[in-house]
Amino acid sequence: MSASPPNRRPLIAGNWKMYKTGAEAAAYIEQLKLLLPSNLEADVALAPSFTALESALMAAGDSPILIAAQNVFWEDEGAYTGEVSVPMLNGLGVEWVIIGHSERRQYFGETDETVNRRVIAALAGGLNPIVCIGETLEQREANQTFQVLTAQLKEGLAEVDNRAAQSLTIAYEPIWAIGTGRTATTEIAQEAHRVIRDELERIFNKELANYIRILYGGSVKPENAAALLAQPDIDGALVGGASLKPDVFYGIINF
Ligand code: PEP
């Protein structure tokens, strides 16, 4: 396991997407708890569907496993059928939330503006957002990657003040690497993470840029986790497919 700056202990987060009922989530977490050593060297989070959050929290109990929601709406309450608010997550005891995942952007019309509204509301309600950004294959091939990433950060994090920014985590997820089995090379990932950290410095300041964790996501598996996480600006992983089985996910946690 590589040494990270003390404030950037690795965070390995599993995004279960639309998989697992409450009972399946609880059974998984019971198995993962048995695998986790007492001297765990990474923070571990799991993001079940809304319907499995309560059983996941109960199964996680006082273990180090953090539970995250996969999305949150910006209004506290109102006529917004199908949405879930920050106070609702607070009421369950959920402290983490993924915002702006590329699947939300691709299939559900998320934009940097709606991402920003969710981020602002989540931070105001004391949640720790994991804000996802990343370029499409077309954007990468047109040499627009860095422009896209900096715009997503500028717009997605607009009006976030420096104090609240301490609760942020960024996930760099190149869309062409999500669920495709195609992982960014360590060089490509590190280069993008460096660009992201430089932009965080412009938006906030150097201290915060060095403090905020930047996770890599896109076909992370036990076989490629160590090389990715050895990069100086990669502080963890957001894992989709390989988080669905506890033993495989543990292979990444134990990179
Ligand atoms: C994700 O859903 O955030 C993700 C990175 O998926 P996968 O690991 O399956 O590519």
Side-chain angles (χ1 to χ4, degrees), residues 2 12 172 174 176-177 182-191 193 214-239 252 255:
S2 69
I12 311 296
Y172 168 59
W176 46 271
R182 190 175 160 183
T183 318
T185 61
T186 51
E187 293 75 19
I188 287 179
Q190 165 57 27
E191 185 186 40
H193 281 233
I214 307 173
L215 314 184
Y216 170 77
S219 300
V220 176
K221 334 179 239 287
E223 300 76 46
N224 59 23
L228 286 161
L229 280 139
Q231 301 305 307
D233 289 294
I234 301 185
D235 310 313
L238 183 55
V239 186
I252 298 172
F255 64 91

Side-chain angles (χ1 to χ4, degrees), residues 30-44:
E30 293 305 340
Q31 286 182 51
L32 182 62
K33 282 198 300 194
L34 296 175
L35 295 172
L36 293 181
S38 53
N39 60 342
L40 189 59
E41 288 184 51
D43 290 338
V44 176

Side-chain angles (χ1 to χ4, degrees), residues 13 15-17 98 101-103 132 171 173-174 177-182 216-221 238-243:
N15 171 21
W16 283 350
K17 313 191 186 202
I98 297 173
H101 191 277
S102 64
E103 287 151 15
C132 302
E173 300 207 301
I178 297 181
T180 57
R182 190 175 160 183
Y216 170 77
S219 300
V220 176
K221 334 179 239 287
L238 183 55
V239 186
S243 73

Side-chain angles (χ1 to χ4, degrees), residues 16-29 47-57 59 70 244:
W16 283 350
K17 313 191 186 202
M18 200 176 72
Y19 292 96
K20 298 194 190 297
T21 63
E24 288 164 347
Y28 174 115
I29 290 170
S49 301
F50 289 127
T51 49
L53 283 172
E54 190 159 18
S55 4
L57 283 161
Q70 294 178 15
L244 290 172

